[in-house]
Amino acid sequence: MAIVTAPTAKAMGFTEIDAPPRSIIDRCVQCGFCLPTCPTYQLTFSEASSPRGRIHLLRAVSDGRLDLRAAVVREQMYQCLNCRACEAVCPSGVQYGQLVEPARAQIEQAHPRPLWQRMFRTFIFVRVFGDMRMFRLASGAIALYQHSGLRTLVRRTGMLKLLGLDKQDALLPEVPLRFVIPSGQRWQPQGSPHHHVGLFTGCIMSTAFAPTDEATARVLARNGCEVVAVPDQGCCGALALHAGEAGTGRENAKRNIVAFERLELDAIIVNAAGCGAALKEYRHLFHGDPEWSRRAERFSASVRDVSEFLDTLDLVPPGRLDRVVTYQEPCHLAHAQRITAAPRRLLAKIPGVRLVEMEESSLCCGSAGIYNVIRPEFSRRLLERKLKNALQTGADTIISANPGCIMQVASGLREQGKRVRVLHIVDLLDEAYRSV
Amino acid sequence: MLQVRGLLSTMVLEESKSVHNDLISQLQNIVGADSVVSHPAELLVYEYDASLDRHLPAAVVLPQTTQQVVEIVKLANRFDLPVVPRGSGTGLSGGAIAIKGGIVIVTTRMNHILSIDYANRRATVQPGVINADLTHYTEHAGFFYAPDPSSQKVCTIGGNVAENSGGPHCLSYGATTNHILDLELVLPTGDVIHTSGADGDQHGLDLTGTVVGSEGTFGIATEVTVRLTPLPEDTQVLLAIFRSVDEASNTVSAIIGAGIIPAALEMMDGLCCQAIEAAYHAGYPPDAGAVLLVELDGLREAVEELVDQVSTICRNHGAGEVRRARSAAERAALWAGRKGALGALGRLAPNYYIQDGVVPRTKLPETLQFVEQVSRDIRLPIANVFHAGDGNLHPNILFDRQDPTNIERTLRGGLEILRFCVEKGGVVSGEHGIGLEKREHIAFLYTTEDLAVMARLRDCFNPRQLFNPDKIFPPLRGCGEVRDQRVAARLAKEGIYAV
Ligand SMILES: Cc1cc2nc3c(=O)[nH]c(=O)nc-3n(C[C@H](O)[C@H](O)[C@H](O)COP(=O)(O)OP(=O)(O)OC[C@H]3O[C@@H](n4cnc5c(N)ncnc54)[C@H](O)[C@@H]3O)c2cc1C
């Protein structure tokens, strides 16, 4: 029967606060159904790089058999893209995402980074992403850099290569000079409004993708919604949470909950899949805090991805666009929010648009928040695979619904010198309405 | 078996550290550093498969070519180390567990389809090719690979060969052994043989048939030539809903009794339907007593006729409703539910102990009544999902391994069910193999003489018993606990601790 050897030494396990819940670990019956969907397993065919393997490592830490500080634990928790494709196929319903984020938070606590790294992380997550004024300032600087001719100059001199920043520069999206600053501005429908919705403007969406935020508002207004850019909102907190900065993530969540609670809204509309997934899961951040749990629950219940919401409306017919498109599923839309049919139905409603499905449309493109910066090699291999699948369809436009994916795919196309466009689905819809 | 172990010995780690280092560096010379796993913490993820046993290997290697496999096997011989082949680790009888430590050879990077010959309806693949990928790859040409274990999107062809895996469609198409034409096998000596003639036919003794189902104890398959099957012209799927398991089992006998061999005939009880519905929303009624999933295929007109006949039989035997999937998408959804059933049981309890007994179809009703009685006796729920058409039961005892009182009852229940199957003229394993988990049970089925002949056959291939040791045959008892503690102390230094 159970042979149990006596503990010979003490392994550092999880602390109680924000530990990966044992109840979730125990749900995994190790059937292995997650293996073929996991991007890192598909690249390595190594069990440690699979969700089943990673859960087993966490189980070993939780059992006291493996030290939380072991190199393999850190490596695997950060090699994971947190794309959650495994969650969508798991027959026993393991909420893998709810394991990875706490595990990262535990690693950060157990294994403090060097002071300069901690200061840098605090600066990025608290000062820049935590404060939209700072964020806009930083984005503004990038826009200025791109539009003033400074970039051309810097690129010509080869300075970026010298500093090892040339790849990062290529990843930067073209930042427009005008941002959406949420301050209660409204978009009115023609005729009387049928829905009152709040727009979650986002950090990257409201700056680098400000035209997409505006397109979102226009498309909603066109379909009978009064849209308000709710003031005092900020970053959704997903980036901090993915990086194991639970406290900062919670602060972001509270601010957004407070900002949106003040208004009577039919729905909170979000157009970035990653933010949407985070907003819909705020309740997980407040375990053991009934007051905030309740408020988070109410907030999350009214969050809708823009495709999800438009799909429930009797859509005003868009104008004709002659395009061959293929659809790249954002992980946090397809896997985390399980929204796969709505965007395809919307595309089918634009006359002239022909959707050609690519192979592996739901395999991560390698963007995954800041993954492309911290794991450039894996990220590049996933991107190459994505581009190959997408280009094989012969599409002239690749449609997606998340800023990370759009930037990643666009930078890959730029590098390969391909003239295929990458658009957010609402940009395409907006174009179709404008063509009427 | 069901031993829940902490970190136990690995033969090499017991030896001096320098021997281990020597082994690892030689393995790295063969396959490269990034294809060898040697750190104890990283080996943890190779201590399990989808069954309940656990044990750490000394090293794991992920080769890509037959030649590399040959060299690894020869090296293992020089070090006197056990070798355990491993595919995707979805086995349900502990076949891929390195119960005596040693080297695990993982085939997941040997995943190329080498050649496809549609004219002669065959394909040659490396052993790590995923079962469903082969079908995905050949469908456009009108073919598929017929054996379809529920794990087909994950498990490897090599694993299928070793376990002689079955699947829902094996009722009419036959199990893996009916679809294997030739094997390239690396023997435990490191020699390479082919089991069939160049034409894929057997001349002389049927070596291919002998190796299929030998659970990695005869050698490691490095190339597999399989039969491709033409896709049927038409396929229809019915879901018949019953109030009780009894009604559903009687219907199974009636369908087969009427001379109909459906492509697949699967049963799920109420508990399974609840788990599946929660996971897949595929239309399995959670309040049913049992359902039958029936697939009929063939020429269009003939299938229509069969649909009518089967529906009538179901209704005559108490089905309150017979639903017909109206589209390929609906068919796929029903099948996804059936194939995910086992994993979905994780929603009901942390662990399941799956039985794989087979009884003659006519004994299904009384066997299932017996299973119900066992469930009451051991005070643990049992969920049934199985290949009803060929009498292959999968009662799953639901338990929590953290609770030691559960384990005794779970084991007892499993044993009683298997005994009953054998008493009724059945067997202890339909398709999951004997492996570690059922090796005590195999003695119910065979006499000492039968087993001795089998052991002699194994020894022809595997005379030193270094290949996948301690599998299939009843164990000789021994005690390794003192040794285990010593190794645990060593591992603790490496950042792993034992409980
Ligand atoms: C959810 C679920 C559903 C399942 N459904 C079914 C089903 O319907 N029918 C069924 O029959 N099984 C089923 N199984 C069991 C399992 O999937 C099969 O036994 C499968 O064939 C194992 O393949 P694998 O690649 O995972 O092999 P592994 O588990 O890695 O290994 C299994 C055995 O094969 C040996 N082996 C692996 N590769 C080789 C090789 N190249 N040469 C020699 N030996 C080798 C190993 O040593 C081991 O003994 C199911 C399992 C799960 C988890």
Side-chain angles (χ1 to χ4, degrees), chain B residues 437-455:
Chain B
E437 207 169 275
K438 304 276 170 357
R439 59 197 179 125
E440 274 120 344
H441 307 154
I442 196 174
F444 302 161
L445 208 54
Y446 294 108
T447 64
T448 324
E449 291 75 26
D450 296 341
L451 288 171
V453 173
M454 286 189 207

Side-chain angles (χ1 to χ4, degrees), chain A residues 30-33, chain B residues 49-50 84-92 94-97 105 107 127-128 148-152 154-168 185 215-217 219-222 338-340 342-343 352 387 394 430-433 435 467-468 471:
Chain A
Q30 306 194 316
C31 70
F33 275 34
Chain B
D49 62 4
V84 182
R86 177 184 170 104
S88 294
T90 66
L92 290 168
I97 305 293
I105 301 182
T107 62
D148 62 334
S150 302
S151 51
Q152 74 190 115
V154 194
C155 63
T156 64
I157 298 282
N160 296 169
V161 167
E163 302 287 8
N164 186 20
S165 298
L185 191 71
E215 304 192 17
T217 63
I220 175 164
T222 44
R338 162 62 188 90
K339 295 197 166 177
L342 212 50
Y352 57 78
H387 313 306
H394 292 324
E431 56 179 17
H432 299 161
F467 245 71
N468 216 356
K471 302 289 162 72

Side-chain angles (χ1 to χ4, degrees), chain B residues 230-308:
Chain B
L231 286 164
E233 183 184 289
D234 190 26
T235 304
Q236 294 297 330
V237 173
L238 301 176
L239 184 73
I241 300 159
F242 297 88
R243 274 170 311 227
S244 72
V245 171
D246 241 27
E247 284 176 358
S249 341
N250 285 324
T251 309
V252 172
S253 292
I255 292 174
I256 308 275
I260 302 168
I261 304 286
L265 178 50
E266 304 281 303
M267 195 196 297
M268 283 141 275
D269 69 5
L271 207 51
C272 268
C273 289
Q274 287 165 24
I276 296 175
E277 205 39 32
Y280 290 95
H281 316 292
Y284 283 88
D287 51 355
V291 299
L292 287 181
L293 187 66
V294 193
E295 182 164 301
L296 299 159
D297 70 3
L299 299 175
R300 201 154 285 125
E301 296 73 14
V303 171
E304 273 316 304
E305 175 92 31
L306 285 174
V307 166
D308 287 343

Side-chain angles (χ1 to χ4, degrees), chain B residues 121-278:
Chain B
R121 298 184 176 180
R122 53 213 235 67
T124 299
V125 302
Q126 283 191 302
V129 166
I130 303 300
N131 175 307
D133 287 354
L134 190 52
T135 291
H136 183 69
Y137 201 81
T138 51
E139 244 166 1
H140 70 95
F143 289 91
F144 72 118
Y145 177 62
D148 62 334
S150 302
S151 51
Q152 74 190 115
K153 285 189 177 163
V154 194
C155 63
T156 64
I157 298 282
N160 296 169
V161 167
E163 302 287 8
N164 186 20
S165 298
H169 287 81
C170 293
L171 179 59
S172 64
Y173 290 96
T176 301
T177 190
N178 300 104
H179 300 269
I180 303 300
L181 300 174
D182 180 35
L183 296 168
E184 179 188 80
L185 191 71
V186 176
L187 295 174
T189 50
D191 295 323
V192 183
I193 63 162
H194 274 266
T195 54
S196 299
D199 54 356
D201 272 341
Q202 294 299 323
H203 310 274
L205 295 181
D206 179 6
L207 278 188
T208 308
T210 306
V211 174
V212 174
S214 60
E215 304 192 17
T217 63
F218 284 15
I220 175 164
T222 44
E223 274 183 25
V224 185
T225 302
V226 303
R227 186 194 308 285
L228 297 175
T229 306
L231 286 164
E233 183 184 289
D234 190 26
T235 304
Q236 294 297 330
V237 173
L238 301 176
L239 184 73
I241 300 159
F242 297 88
R243 274 170 311 227
S244 72
V245 171
D246 241 27
E247 284 176 358
S249 341
N250 285 324
T251 309
V252 172
S253 292
I255 292 174
I256 308 275
I260 302 168
I261 304 286
L265 178 50
E266 304 281 303
M267 195 196 297
M268 283 141 275
D269 69 5
L271 207 51
C272 268
C273 289
Q274 287 165 24
I276 296 175
E277 205 39 32

